[in-house]
Coordinates of all heavy atoms in Angstrom, one line a residue:
M1 N -11.0 -15.9 -10.9 CA -10.5 -16.8 -11.8 C -9.3 -16.1 -12.5 O -9.4 -14.9 -12.8 CB -11.5 -17.2 -12.9 CG -11.0 -18.0 -14.0 SD -12.2 -18.6 -15.2 CE -12.8 -17.1 -15.9
N2 N -8.2 -16.8 -12.6 CA -7.0 -16.2 -13.2 C -6.7 -17.0 -14.5 O -6.8 -18.2 -14.5 CB -5.8 -16.2 -12.3 CG -5.9 -15.3 -11.2 OD1 -6.6 -14.3 -11.2 ND2 -5.3 -15.6 -10.1
L3 N -6.3 -16.4 -15.6 CA -6.0 -17.0 -16.8 C -4.5 -16.9 -17.1 O -4.0 -15.8 -17.1 CB -6.8 -16.4 -18.0 CG -6.4 -16.9 -19.4 CD1 -6.8 -18.4 -19.5 CD2 -7.1 -16.1 -20.4
Y4 N -3.9 -18.1 -17.3 CA -2.5 -18.2 -17.7 C -2.4 -18.9 -19.0 O -3.0 -20.0 -19.1 CB -1.7 -18.9 -16.6 CG -1.4 -18.1 -15.3 CD1 -2.4 -18.1 -14.4 CD2 -0.3 -17.5 -15.1 CE1 -2.2 -17.3 -13.2 CE2 0.0 -16.8 -14.0 CZ -1.0 -16.7 -13.0 OH -0.8 -16.0 -11.9
I5 N -1.6 -18.4 -19.9 CA -1.4 -19.1 -21.2 C 0.1 -19.2 -21.3 O 0.9 -18.3 -21.3 CB -2.0 -18.3 -22.4 CG1 -3.5 -18.1 -22.2 CG2 -1.6 -18.9 -23.7 CD1 -4.1 -17.3 -23.3
D6 N 0.5 -20.5 -21.5 CA 2.0 -20.8 -21.5 C 2.7 -20.3 -20.3 O 3.8 -19.7 -20.5 CB 2.6 -20.3 -22.8 CG 2.0 -21.1 -24.0 OD1 1.6 -22.2 -23.9 OD2 2.0 -20.5 -25.1
G7 N 2.1 -20.3 -19.2 CA 2.8 -19.9 -17.9 C 2.8 -18.4 -17.7 O 3.3 -17.9 -16.7
V8 N 2.1 -17.6 -18.6 CA 2.1 -16.2 -18.5 C 0.7 -15.7 -18.1 O -0.3 -16.1 -18.8 CB 2.6 -15.5 -19.8 CG1 2.5 -14.0 -19.8 CG2 3.9 -16.0 -20.2
F9 N 0.6 -14.9 -17.1 CA -0.6 -14.3 -16.6 C -1.2 -13.5 -17.7 O -0.6 -12.6 -18.2 CB -0.4 -13.5 -15.3 CG -1.7 -12.9 -14.8 CD1 -2.7 -13.6 -14.2 CD2 -1.9 -11.5 -15.0 CE1 -3.8 -13.0 -13.8 CE2 -3.0 -10.9 -14.5 CZ -4.0 -11.7 -13.9
R10 N -2.5 -13.7 -18.1 CA -3.2 -13.0 -19.1 C -4.4 -12.2 -18.6 O -4.9 -11.3 -19.3 CB -3.7 -13.9 -20.2 CG -2.6 -14.7 -20.9 CD -1.6 -13.7 -21.6 NE -0.5 -14.4 -22.2 CZ -0.2 -14.4 -23.4 NH1 -0.9 -13.7 -24.3 NH2 0.9 -15.0 -23.9
G11 N -4.9 -12.5 -17.4 CA -6.0 -11.7 -16.9 C -6.7 -12.4 -15.8 O -6.5 -13.6 -15.5
S12 N -7.7 -11.7 -15.2 CA -8.5 -12.3 -14.1 C -9.9 -11.8 -14.2 O -10.1 -10.7 -14.8 CB -7.9 -12.0 -12.7 OG -7.9 -10.7 -12.4
Q13 N -10.8 -12.6 -13.6 CA -12.2 -12.2 -13.5 C -12.8 -12.8 -12.3 O -12.5 -13.9 -12.0 CB -12.9 -12.6 -14.8 CG -14.4 -12.3 -14.9 CD -15.0 -12.7 -16.2 OE1 -14.3 -13.1 -17.2 NE2 -16.3 -12.8 -16.2
E14 N -13.7 -12.1 -11.7 CA -14.5 -12.6 -10.6 C -15.4 -13.7 -11.1 O -16.0 -13.5 -12.2 CB -15.3 -11.6 -9.9 CG -14.5 -10.6 -9.1 CD -13.8 -11.2 -7.9 OE1 -14.4 -12.0 -7.2 OE2 -12.6 -10.9 -7.7
F15 N -15.6 -14.8 -10.4 CA -16.4 -15.9 -10.9 C -17.1 -16.5 -9.7 O -16.5 -17.1 -8.8 CB -15.5 -17.0 -11.6 CG -16.2 -18.0 -12.4 CD1 -16.7 -17.6 -13.6 CD2 -16.3 -19.3 -12.0 CE1 -17.4 -18.5 -14.4 CE2 -17.0 -20.2 -12.8 CZ -17.5 -19.8 -14.0
P16 N -18.4 -16.3 -9.6 CA -19.2 -16.8 -8.5 C -19.2 -18.3 -8.4 O -20.0 -19.0 -9.1 CB -20.6 -16.2 -8.6 CG -20.7 -16.0 -10.1 CD -19.3 -15.8 -10.6
T17 N -18.4 -18.9 -7.5 CA -18.3 -20.4 -7.4 C -19.6 -21.0 -6.9 O -19.9 -22.1 -7.1 CB -17.2 -20.8 -6.5 OG1 -17.3 -20.2 -5.2 CG2 -15.9 -20.4 -7.1
K18 N -20.4 -20.2 -6.2 CA -21.7 -20.8 -5.7 C -22.6 -21.2 -6.8 O -23.5 -22.0 -6.6 CB -22.4 -19.8 -4.7 CG -22.9 -18.5 -5.4 CD -23.6 -17.6 -4.5 CE -24.1 -16.4 -5.3 NZ -25.0 -15.6 -4.5
D19 N -22.4 -20.6 -8.0 CA -23.3 -20.9 -9.1 C -22.8 -22.1 -9.9 O -23.4 -22.5 -10.9 CB -23.4 -19.7 -10.1 CG -24.1 -18.5 -9.4 OD1 -24.9 -18.8 -8.4 OD2 -23.8 -17.4 -9.8
L20 N -21.8 -22.8 -9.5 CA -21.2 -23.9 -10.3 C -21.8 -25.2 -9.8 O -21.2 -26.2 -9.6 CB -19.7 -24.0 -10.2 CG -18.9 -22.8 -10.8 CD1 -17.5 -23.0 -10.6 CD2 -19.2 -22.8 -12.3
T21 N -23.1 -25.3 -9.8 CA -23.8 -26.5 -9.4 C -24.1 -27.4 -10.6 O -24.5 -28.5 -10.4 CB -25.1 -26.2 -8.7 OG1 -25.9 -25.3 -9.5 CG2 -24.9 -25.4 -7.4
N22 N -23.9 -26.9 -11.8 CA -24.2 -27.6 -13.0 C -23.0 -27.6 -13.9 O -22.5 -26.5 -14.2 CB -25.4 -27.0 -13.7 CG -25.8 -27.7 -15.0 OD1 -25.1 -28.5 -15.5 ND2 -27.0 -27.4 -15.5
I23 N -22.4 -28.7 -14.2 CA -21.2 -28.8 -15.0 C -21.4 -28.1 -16.4 O -20.4 -27.6 -17.0 CB -20.8 -30.2 -15.2 CG1 -19.3 -30.3 -15.8 CG2 -21.7 -31.0 -16.1 CD1 -18.3 -29.8 -14.9
N24 N -22.6 -27.9 -16.9 CA -22.8 -27.2 -18.1 C -22.5 -25.7 -18.0 O -22.5 -25.0 -19.1 CB -24.3 -27.4 -18.6 CG -24.5 -28.9 -19.0 OD1 -23.6 -29.5 -19.6 ND2 -25.7 -29.3 -18.8
Q25 N -22.3 -25.2 -16.8 CA -22.0 -23.8 -16.7 C -20.5 -23.5 -16.9 O -20.1 -22.4 -17.1 CB -22.4 -23.3 -15.3 CG -23.8 -23.4 -15.0 CD -24.2 -23.1 -13.6 OE1 -23.5 -23.5 -12.7 NE2 -25.2 -22.4 -13.4
I26 N -19.7 -24.5 -17.0 CA -18.3 -24.4 -17.3 C -18.0 -24.7 -18.8 O -18.3 -25.8 -19.2 CB -17.4 -25.3 -16.4 CG1 -17.7 -25.0 -14.9 CG2 -15.9 -25.2 -16.7 CD1 -17.0 -26.0 -14.0
R27 N -17.5 -23.7 -19.5 CA -17.1 -23.9 -20.9 C -15.7 -23.5 -21.1 O -15.3 -22.4 -20.7 CB -18.1 -23.0 -21.8 CG -19.5 -23.4 -21.6 CD -20.4 -22.7 -22.6 NE -21.8 -23.0 -22.4 CZ -22.4 -24.1 -22.8 NH1 -21.8 -25.0 -23.4 NH2 -23.7 -24.3 -22.5
I28 N -15.0 -24.3 -21.8 CA -13.6 -24.0 -22.1 C -13.4 -24.1 -23.6 O -13.6 -25.2 -24.2 CB -12.6 -25.1 -21.4 CG1 -12.8 -24.9 -19.9 CG2 -11.2 -24.8 -21.8 CD1 -12.0 -26.0 -19.1
G29 N -13.1 -23.0 -24.2 CA -12.9 -23.0 -25.7 C -14.1 -22.4 -26.5 O -14.0 -22.2 -27.6
N30 N -15.2 -22.2 -25.8 CA -16.4 -21.6 -26.5 C -17.3 -20.9 -25.5 O -17.1 -20.9 -24.3 CB -17.1 -22.6 -27.4 CG -17.9 -23.6 -26.5 OD1 -18.4 -23.4 -25.5 ND2 -17.9 -24.8 -27.0
N31 N -18.3 -20.2 -26.0 CA -19.2 -19.5 -25.2 C -20.6 -20.0 -25.6 O -20.8 -20.6 -26.6 CB -19.1 -18.0 -25.5 CG -19.7 -17.1 -24.4 OD1 -20.5 -17.6 -23.6 ND2 -19.3 -15.9 -24.4
V32 N -21.6 -19.6 -24.8 CA -23.0 -20.0 -25.0 C -23.6 -19.4 -26.2 O -24.4 -20.0 -26.9 CB -23.8 -19.7 -23.8 CG1 -25.3 -20.1 -24.0 CG2 -23.3 -20.4 -22.6
G33 N -23.1 -18.2 -26.6 CA -23.6 -17.5 -27.8 C -23.4 -18.2 -29.1 O -23.3 -19.4 -29.1
N34 N -23.2 -17.5 -30.1 CA -22.9 -18.0 -31.4 C -21.5 -18.7 -31.4 O -20.5 -18.1 -31.4 CB -22.9 -16.9 -32.5 CG -22.7 -17.4 -33.9 OD1 -22.2 -18.5 -34.1 ND2 -23.1 -16.6 -34.9
L35 N -21.5 -20.0 -31.4 CA -20.3 -20.8 -31.2 C -19.3 -20.5 -32.2 O -18.1 -20.6 -32.0 CB -20.6 -22.3 -31.1 CG -21.5 -22.7 -29.9 CD1 -21.7 -24.2 -29.9 CD2 -20.8 -22.2 -28.6
S36 N -19.7 -20.3 -33.5 CA -18.7 -20.1 -34.5 C -17.9 -18.7 -34.3 O -16.8 -18.6 -34.7 CB -19.4 -20.1 -35.9 OG -20.3 -19.0 -36.0
E37 N -18.5 -17.8 -33.6 CA -17.9 -16.5 -33.4 C -17.1 -16.5 -32.0 O -16.2 -15.7 -31.9 CB -18.9 -15.4 -33.4 CG -19.5 -15.1 -34.8 CD -20.5 -14.0 -34.8 OE1 -20.5 -13.2 -33.8 OE2 -21.2 -13.8 -35.8
C38 N -17.5 -17.3 -31.1 CA -17.0 -17.3 -29.8 C -15.9 -18.4 -29.5 O -15.3 -18.5 -28.5 CB -18.1 -17.4 -28.7 SG -19.3 -16.1 -28.8
A39 N -15.8 -19.3 -30.5 CA -14.9 -20.5 -30.3 C -13.4 -20.0 -30.2 O -13.1 -19.1 -30.9 CB -15.1 -21.5 -31.3
F40 N -12.6 -20.7 -29.4 CA -11.2 -20.4 -29.3 C -10.6 -20.9 -30.6 O -10.7 -22.1 -31.0 CB -10.6 -21.2 -28.1 CG -9.2 -21.1 -28.0 CD1 -8.6 -19.9 -27.6 CD2 -8.3 -22.2 -28.2 CE1 -7.2 -19.8 -27.5 CE2 -7.0 -22.1 -28.1 CZ -6.4 -20.9 -27.7
A41 N -9.8 -20.1 -31.3 CA -9.2 -20.4 -32.5 C -7.8 -20.9 -32.3 O -6.8 -20.2 -32.3 CB -9.1 -19.2 -33.5
G42 N -7.6 -22.2 -31.8 CA -6.3 -22.8 -31.5 C -6.5 -24.2 -31.0 O -7.6 -24.7 -31.1
Q43 N -5.5 -24.7 -30.3 CA -5.6 -26.0 -29.7 C -5.4 -25.8 -28.2 O -4.6 -25.1 -27.7 CB -4.5 -26.9 -30.3 CG -4.7 -27.2 -31.7 CD -3.6 -28.2 -32.2 OE1 -2.6 -28.4 -31.6 NE2 -3.8 -28.7 -33.4
I44 N -6.2 -26.6 -27.5 CA -6.1 -26.6 -26.0 C -5.6 -28.0 -25.6 O -6.2 -29.0 -25.9 CB -7.5 -26.3 -25.3 CG1 -7.9 -24.9 -25.7 CG2 -7.3 -26.4 -23.8 CD1 -9.4 -24.6 -25.3
D45 N -4.4 -28.0 -25.0 CA -3.8 -29.3 -24.7 C -3.7 -29.6 -23.2 O -3.4 -30.8 -22.9 CB -2.4 -29.5 -25.4 CG -1.4 -28.6 -24.8 OD1 -1.7 -27.7 -24.0 OD2 -0.2 -28.7 -25.2
D46 N -3.9 -28.7 -22.4 CA -3.8 -28.9 -21.0 C -4.7 -27.9 -20.2 O -4.5 -26.7 -20.4 CB -2.4 -28.8 -20.5 CG -2.1 -29.4 -19.1 OD1 -3.0 -30.1 -18.6 OD2 -1.0 -29.2 -18.6
V47 N -5.6 -28.4 -19.4 CA -6.5 -27.6 -18.6 C -6.4 -28.1 -17.1 O -6.4 -29.3 -16.9 CB -7.9 -27.6 -19.1 CG1 -8.8 -26.9 -18.2 CG2 -8.0 -27.1 -20.5
G48 N -6.3 -27.1 -16.2 CA -6.4 -27.5 -14.8 C -7.3 -26.6 -14.0 O -7.4 -25.4 -14.3
I49 N -8.1 -27.2 -13.1 CA -9.0 -26.4 -12.3 C -8.7 -26.8 -10.8 O -8.7 -27.9 -10.5 CB -10.5 -26.7 -12.6 CG1 -10.7 -26.3 -14.1 CG2 -11.4 -25.9 -11.6 CD1 -12.1 -26.7 -14.5
W50 N -8.4 -25.8 -10.0 CA -8.1 -26.0 -8.6 C -9.1 -25.3 -7.7 O -9.8 -24.4 -8.1 CB -6.7 -25.4 -8.3 CG -5.5 -26.2 -8.8 CD1 -4.8 -27.1 -8.1 CD2 -5.0 -26.2 -10.1 NE1 -3.9 -27.7 -8.9 CE2 -4.0 -27.2 -10.2 CE3 -5.4 -25.6 -11.3 CZ2 -3.3 -27.4 -11.3 CZ3 -4.7 -25.8 -12.5 CH2 -3.6 -26.8 -12.5
N51 N -9.2 -25.8 -6.5 CA -10.2 -25.2 -5.6 C -9.5 -24.1 -4.7 O -10.1 -23.7 -3.7 CB -10.8 -26.2 -4.7 CG -9.8 -26.9 -3.8 OD1 -8.6 -26.7 -3.9 ND2 -10.2 -27.8 -2.9
R52 N -8.4 -23.6 -5.2 CA -7.7 -22.5 -4.5 C -6.9 -21.7 -5.5 O -6.6 -22.2 -6.6 CB -6.8 -23.0 -3.4 CG -5.6 -23.8 -3.9 CD -4.7 -24.3 -2.8 NE -3.7 -25.1 -3.3 CZ -2.5 -24.7 -3.8 NH1 -2.3 -23.4 -3.8 NH2 -1.6 -25.5 -4.2
V53 N -6.4 -20.6 -5.1 CA -5.6 -19.8 -6.0 C -4.2 -20.3 -5.9 O -3.6 -20.5 -4.8 CB -5.6 -18.3 -5.6 CG1 -4.7 -17.5 -6.4 CG2 -7.0 -17.7 -5.7
L54 N -3.6 -20.6 -7.0 CA -2.2 -21.0 -7.1 C -1.2 -19.8 -7.1 O -1.6 -18.8 -7.6 CB -1.9 -21.9 -8.3 CG -2.8 -23.1 -8.5 CD1 -2.4 -23.8 -9.8 CD2 -2.6 -24.0 -7.3
T55 N -0.1 -20.0 -6.6 CA 0.9 -18.9 -6.6 C 1.6 -18.9 -8.0 O 1.6 -19.9 -8.7 CB 2.0 -19.1 -5.5 OG1 2.8 -20.2 -5.8 CG2 1.4 -19.2 -4.1
Q56 N 2.2 -17.7 -8.3 CA 3.0 -17.7 -9.5 C 4.1 -18.7 -9.6 O 4.3 -19.3 -10.6 CB 3.6 -16.3 -9.7 CG 4.4 -16.1 -11.0 CD 3.5 -16.2 -12.2 OE1 2.6 -15.5 -12.4 NE2 3.9 -17.1 -13.1
D57 N 4.7 -19.0 -8.4 CA 5.8 -20.0 -8.4 C 5.2 -21.4 -8.7 O 5.8 -22.2 -9.4 CB 6.4 -20.0 -7.0 CG 7.3 -18.8 -6.8 OD1 7.7 -18.1 -7.8 OD2 7.6 -18.5 -5.6
E58 N 4.0 -21.7 -8.2 CA 3.4 -23.0 -8.5 C 3.1 -23.2 -10.0 O 3.3 -24.2 -10.6 CB 2.1 -23.2 -7.6 CG 2.4 -23.4 -6.2 CD 1.1 -23.4 -5.4 OE1 0.3 -22.5 -5.6 OE2 1.0 -24.3 -4.5
I59 N 2.5 -22.1 -10.5 CA 2.2 -22.1 -12.0 C 3.4 -22.3 -12.8 O 3.5 -23.1 -13.8 CB 1.4 -20.9 -12.3 CG1 0.0 -20.9 -11.6 CG2 1.2 -20.7 -13.8 CD1 -0.7 -19.6 -11.6
T60 N 4.5 -21.5 -12.5 CA 5.7 -21.6 -13.2 C 6.3 -23.0 -13.1 O 6.8 -23.5 -14.1 CB 6.7 -20.5 -12.7 OG1 6.1 -19.2 -12.9 CG2 8.0 -20.6 -13.5
A61 N 6.3 -23.6 -12.0 CA 6.9 -24.9 -11.8 C 6.1 -25.9 -12.6 O 6.7 -26.8 -13.2 CB 6.8 -25.3 -10.3
M62 N 4.8 -25.8 -12.7 CA 4.0 -26.8 -13.5 C 4.3 -26.6 -15.0 O 4.4 -27.5 -15.7 CB 2.5 -26.6 -13.2 CG 2.1 -27.2 -12.0 SD 0.3 -27.2 -11.8 CE 0.0 -25.5 -11.4
Y63 N 4.4 -25.3 -15.4 CA 4.7 -25.0 -16.8 C 6.0 -25.5 -17.2 O 6.2 -26.1 -18.3 CB 4.5 -23.5 -17.1 CG 4.8 -23.2 -18.5 CD1 3.9 -23.5 -19.5 CD2 6.0 -22.5 -18.8 CE1 4.2 -23.2 -20.8 CE2 6.3 -22.2 -20.2 CZ 5.4 -22.5 -21.2 OH 5.6 -22.2 -22.5
N64 N 7.0 -25.4 -16.4 CA 8.4 -25.8 -16.7 C 8.6 -27.3 -16.4 O 9.6 -27.8 -16.9 CB 9.4 -25.0 -15.9 CG 9.4 -23.5 -16.3 OD1 9.2 -23.2 -17.5 ND2 9.7 -22.6 -15.4
G65 N 7.7 -27.9 -15.7 CA 7.9 -29.3 -15.3 C 7.5 -30.2 -16.4 O 8.0 -31.2 -16.7

């Protein structure tokens, strides 16, 4: 999994896709733990999930588009 914020790469992490059989396993903006401490402090206005790795050019084109 790669994380981009405003078109800028911020980090990556291995994510076992075989375990994504339950939609409750995907959380955007918070964590399973103490939600008040793990919640994202901001606004999320656009999220995309692809079944392949996008190139930097594809990400830049979407951000600028």
Side-chain angles (χ1 to χ4, degrees):
M1 174 174 66
N2 293 331
L3 174 65
Y4 287 81
I5 299 175
D6 294 334
V8 178
F9 177 74
R10 299 298 176 119
S12 66
Q13 179 178 345
E14 292 292 320
F15 196 73
T17 56
K18 68 179 182 169
D19 294 336
L20 294 177
T21 56
N22 182 345
I23 193 66
N24 291 326
Q25 294 172 322
I26 299 174
R27 299 189 185 276
I28 298 172
N30 67 35
N31 198 343
V32 177
N34 183 339
L35 296 181
S36 63
E37 293 181 12
C38 299
F40 175 73
Q43 295 181 349
I44 299 173
D45 67 351
D46 194 12
V47 174
I49 299 174
W50 286 261
N51 64 354
R52 65 178 179 84
V53 176
L54 301 180
T55 67
Q56 179 65 56
D57 290 339
E58 291 173 313
I59 291 166
T60 300
M62 283 188 287
Y63 178 73
N64 292 329

